[in-house]
């Protein structure tokens, strides 16, 4: 198990001064969603309709979670980010994954380690797999995050200065099992940008990598017991996105 | 089951006018911790490192809770107490345990009864066992709180006017089983003092009194199902400490 936070020497990098162990309280709309608790699947975005994120305006549940009819659950988180541009997030996803000391900037109370499965360095993320160790609530997880082209989820590629959609298949780094999908759509607003995160976990999104239908039917009941608590995932996402957004413009100005 | 609150005649004591059934809302930092939910064990204080409470400054989680890797959970609560001194708490722990009508002052909505296992009166608490009946959340518990010398947990004895650490082994008053430990460290601040409470419950902290390793391995799975919900313990502790701190200076001035 890797350690949380910075220890002696960890801050001796060009970006070390950006590490801030203090995290702000959750935004009020996230607290409202926690109070609400699980919601109707009909107000949650279906994975097959991920492209609806490209529509103007807002979807019925921008922040919240709920169990899905056919098993598993969905989580949504809206993060308002004054002064942040979609381009900065595109840069961040290509920059942070090669060094745990960068990854820890993002969530100082939960992120323990990160490296690329290909062992490579910075610059891009689509088509690569980020191997991370982090807590979701009190549960330590070793995840493989395989970033895919937005087209794979029906979202067209972005053009510079416009929205960015970060899309990934989520799975285990210890077993050849995937358990979900994520989209972080970042679009410009008057004062900066907003991130609309979506997770679809468990149920029909569980699959054995390079496996077949039979393997899937065996693994799904097992994987269902390994899923994070949706409330912990919503809290974690809201915390890390709000935290990083607070200094992403300064970080990007220096290293972007 | 003993009753909550004061009934006819219960207030006819020298301290009866201090009974106040109205409790203030939780402080904002406790509400934030509830929203956060379970946290990484690595940001929680390990029982073996309880002496870290003596360091200046604050630990990574002054208020919050989480599951521990080897089973069980930890809870932290910070209580700011203007006008209160560590000495007042030292006095309180020696004073309240001999009469349920004193114990009820502390948490009027959850404390039902208290007596010393030795049947004795006021004056001191280290080395004695307080038998209490109280609610944690909706769960009625009959607890044996065996106060120990802080040295037993690696914290040196306090000197007058300085910090006080109230330490205890927590168990059942009905079965010879202990399930956890607590520390309430009270240290001076500019305007009074602050209490830093820590609970370690379940997992390796479960033990059969005067039992052996075999007995422990039998009882642990059973005890794990008897543990309070960590969120209920956090709320209860924050409520009772804030409530009593509101009139502890006046109570101490009169009876201390």
């Amino acid at each position: 198990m890797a350690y949380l936070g910075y220890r002696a020497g960890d801050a001796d990098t060009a970006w070390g001064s950006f590490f801030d162990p203090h995290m702000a309280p959750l935004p009020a709309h996230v607290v409202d969603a926690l109070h609400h608790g699980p919601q109707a699947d009909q107000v949650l975005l279906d994975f097959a309709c991920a492209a609806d994120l490209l529509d103007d305006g807002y979807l019925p549940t921008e922040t919240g979670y709920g169990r899905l009819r056919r098993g598993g659950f969905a989580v949504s988180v809206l993060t308002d980010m004054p002064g942040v541009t979609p381009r900065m997030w595109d840069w961040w996803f290509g920059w942070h994954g090669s060094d745990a000391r960068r990854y820890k900037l993002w969530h100082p109370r939960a992120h323990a380690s990160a490296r690329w499965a290909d062992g490579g360095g910075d610059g891009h993320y689509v088509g690569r797999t980020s191997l991370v160790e982090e807590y979701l609530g009190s549960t330590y997880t070793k995840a493989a995050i395989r970033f895919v082209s937005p087209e794979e989820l029906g979202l067209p590629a972005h053009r510079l200065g416009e929205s960015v959609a970060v899309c990934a298949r989520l799975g285990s780094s210890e077993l050849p099992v995937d358990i979900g999908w994520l989209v972080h759509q970042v679009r410009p607003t008057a004062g900066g940008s907003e991130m609309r995160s979506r997770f679809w976990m468990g149920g029909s999104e569980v699959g054995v990598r390079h496996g077949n239908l039979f393997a899937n039917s065996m693994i799904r009941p097992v994987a269902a017991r390994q899923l994070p608590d949706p409330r912990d995932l919503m809290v974690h996402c809201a915390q890390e996105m709000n935290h990083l957004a607070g200094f992403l413009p300064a970080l990007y100005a220096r290293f972007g």
Side-chain angles (χ1 to χ4, degrees), chain A residues 51 87 139 141 167 197:
Chain A
R87 171 78 194 111
T139 307
T141 60
C167 303
S197 300

Side-chain angles (χ1 to χ4, degrees), chain A residues 26-39 63-65 231 234-235:
Chain A
L26 291 168
H29 68 278
V30 180
V31 173
D32 289 345
L34 283 172
H35 291 158
H36 192 144
Q39 306 208 29
T63 305
Y65 65 90
R231 79 165 303 288
M234 183 173 75
V235 165

Side-chain angles (χ1 to χ4, degrees), chain A residues 216-237:
Chain A
N216 286 344
S217 67
M218 296 290 288
I219 208 75
R220 274 181 190 157
V222 179
R225 293 199 297 270
Q226 313 282 330
L227 294 175
D229 186 319
R231 79 165 303 288
D232 294 346
L233 183 56
M234 183 173 75
V235 165
H236 181 103
C237 177

Side-chain angles (χ1 to χ4, degrees), chain A residues 206-221:
Chain A
V206 172
V208 178
R209 280 174 220 143
H210 319 297
N212 54 30
L213 283 175
F214 175 72
N216 286 344
S217 67
M218 296 290 288
I219 208 75
R220 274 181 190 157

Side-chain angles (χ1 to χ4, degrees), chain A residues 56-232:
Chain A
D56 287 339
Y58 296 95
L59 293 169
T61 302
E62 289 290 337
T63 305
Y65 65 90
R67 270 178 291 114
L68 301 174
R69 223 165 317 166
R70 285 167 298 183
F73 62 84
V75 171
S76 309
V77 180
L78 178 67
T79 306
D80 186 40
M81 308 181 292
V84 173
T85 63
R87 171 78 194 111
M88 293 177 191
W89 280 101
D90 203 37
W91 166 80
W92 168 257
F93 276 93
W95 184 78
H96 79 269
S98 57
D99 194 310
R101 295 167 299 181
R102 295 177 179 174
Y103 180 60
K104 287 178 179 189
L105 300 177
W106 202 357
H107 196 316
R109 298 177 65 87
H111 285 183
S113 89
R115 63 189 171 89
W116 290 110
D118 59 23
D122 308 344
H124 68 289
Y125 59 96
V126 173
R128 301 176 80 186
T129 298
S130 178
L131 302 176
V132 300
E133 300 188 17
E134 64 179 332
Y135 285 89
L136 294 172
S138 289
T139 307
Y140 195 73
T141 60
K142 298 184 179 186
I145 303 171
R146 180 170 62 86
F147 293 102
V148 302
S149 165
E151 281 93 338
E152 199 166 317
L153 276 69
L155 290 85
H158 65 279
R159 281 163 294 182
L160 226 69
E162 295 188 354
S163 296
V164 163
V166 176
C167 303
R169 185 77 165 116
L170 300 170
S172 167
S173 66
E174 300 181 295
L175 295 167
V177 176
D178 289 317
I179 59 165
W181 292 93
L182 72 75
V183 176
H184 300 300
Q185 195 229 12
V186 189
R187 65 183 181 186
T189 58
S193 60
E194 61 188 1
M195 178 180 285
R196 300 160 73 211
S197 300
R198 296 291 185 280
F199 299 85
W200 297 270
M201 307 289 283
S204 54
E205 308 317 331
V206 172
V208 178
R209 280 174 220 143
H210 319 297
N212 54 30
L213 283 175
F214 175 72
N216 286 344
S217 67
M218 296 290 288
I219 208 75
R220 274 181 190 157
V222 179
R225 293 199 297 270
Q226 313 282 330
L227 294 175
D229 186 319
R231 79 165 303 288
D232 294 346

